[in-house]
Amino acid sequence: MGTSGASRDGGSSGARLRATDVARAFKGVQALEGLNFELGRHEVVGLIGPNGAGKTTLINVITGFDRPTAGAIELDGVDVTGWPASRRARAGLARTFQQGRVFGELTVQENVELGALGVGAGAHQARARADELLSIMQLADHAKLPASLLAHGEQRKVAVARALASRPRYVLMDEPAAGLFESDISAFAEVIRSVRDGYDAGVLIVDHNMALIMAVSDRIEVLDQGRSLASGTPEEIRRNIDVAAAYLGASGVTAERERG
Ligand SMILES: Nc1ncnc2c1ncn2[C@@H]1O[C@H](COP(=O)(O)OP(=O)(O)OP(=O)(O)O)[C@@H](O)[C@H]1O
Ligand SMILES: [Mg+2]
């Protein structure tokens, strides 16, 4: 390998989350096909694409909640394709769910502590991590409330805080900002950047809020029908006409046309 090639990723090509040639077929549906994906530490990658593109399936396959029908998942140079989700979590892979699961009867604070306890942290450490994250996520005022009392968007923030409490090397967020008010989006973008910078974690964020994706992503990957349609900086993606057709066509452009 040439020296210039080695320096492109800081010379530590092992320190990445990598999906190679991944496929996932459901009965009659090819949810992912021949997909290659990489996420470095200290990087925010936005993953976008129309409904059904395979975004959640990719997160499931990477985190071990689902098995690929072909291909491999590597975590910092280690092949984890056969590992169960719990083992991947302890190795530094965290995620949130599109349905934003919180334990409604537990307090906000207890929900976040679970993220730390789940990977073997002690009670004291779990409490300290929860306190810190609740403050960062501007949830401290709600710490003692049952999570079920929070608004939908706030519950998603609890789920993000819980994922971060495991001190992940990589965190994969499935529509974490859904349900947040537009006025809360820029504060949320700040949280994402601080995860990258302060926690030295790689962040994959799936979201339909393009303003958020454009604001936080170092790189954007576009999925369509289980395949990579485009990849580039936010600026490159913005200029990419195919992306506009595939992505906006499903959500924005068509609706605009029908309206107008
Ligand atoms: N458990 C499953 N059984 C059968 N089909 C599935 C299953 N999970 C996903 N699919 C199909 O795989 C395709 C990809 O789904 P996926 O949920 O990954 O899309 P997505 O990009 O996350 O969409 P959205 O933006 O709506 O969340 C879809 O056609 C979906 O219907
Ligand atoms: Mg999804």
Side-chain angles (χ1 to χ4, degrees), residues 1-18 38-43 170 219:
M1 189 202 283
T3 45
S4 59
S7 65
R8 260 189 64 220
D9 58 9
S12 54
S13 57
R16 300 183 88 63
L17 179 59
R18 183 177 274 135
E38 278 197 13
L39 176 64
R41 299 285 293 272
H42 207 79
E43 181 182 35
Y170 304 95
R219 186 158 58 80

Side-chain angles (χ1 to χ4, degrees), residues 55-57 98 174-175 206 208:
K55 305 179 298 293
T56 296
T57 303
Q98 186 165 355
D174 203 347
E175 305 198 17
V206 170
H208 288 286

Side-chain angles (χ1 to χ4, degrees), residues 24 26-27 29-32 49-58 60 66 98 174-175 206 208 223 226:
R24 177 62 168 111
F26 298 104
K27 271 203 185 88
V29 178
Q30 195 70 40
L32 294 175
N51 294 118
K55 305 179 298 293
T56 296
T57 303
L58 181 62
N60 287 342
D66 193 7
Q98 186 165 355
D174 203 347
E175 305 198 17
V206 170
H208 288 286
L223 271 191

Side-chain angles (χ1 to χ4, degrees), residues 69-156:
T69 35
I73 310 298
E74 251 177 64
L75 176 59
D76 293 347
V78 178
D79 188 332
V80 301
T81 317
W83 293 17
S86 55
R87 188 171 173 200
R88 296 189 207 192
R90 285 194 302 276
L93 263 188
R95 70 168 296 176
T96 71
F97 292 88
Q98 186 165 355
Q99 306 311 327
R101 299 177 195 173
V102 295
F103 298 98
E105 71 285 5
L106 299 183
T107 68
V108 167
Q109 182 175 44
E110 287 164 344
N111 265 278
V112 179
E113 286 173 4
L114 277 182
L117 297 170
V119 294
H124 187 76
Q125 197 176 35
R127 174 60 57 92
R129 288 185 190 178
D131 285 349
E132 178 185 293
L133 283 161
L134 291 175
S135 160
I136 291 173
M137 306 285 297
Q138 298 176 348
L139 289 166
D141 290 350
H142 306 317
K144 304 294 182 197
L145 292 180
S148 59
L149 292 187
L150 268 58
H152 185 67
E154 298 295 297
Q155 290 190 12
R156 276 170 189 270

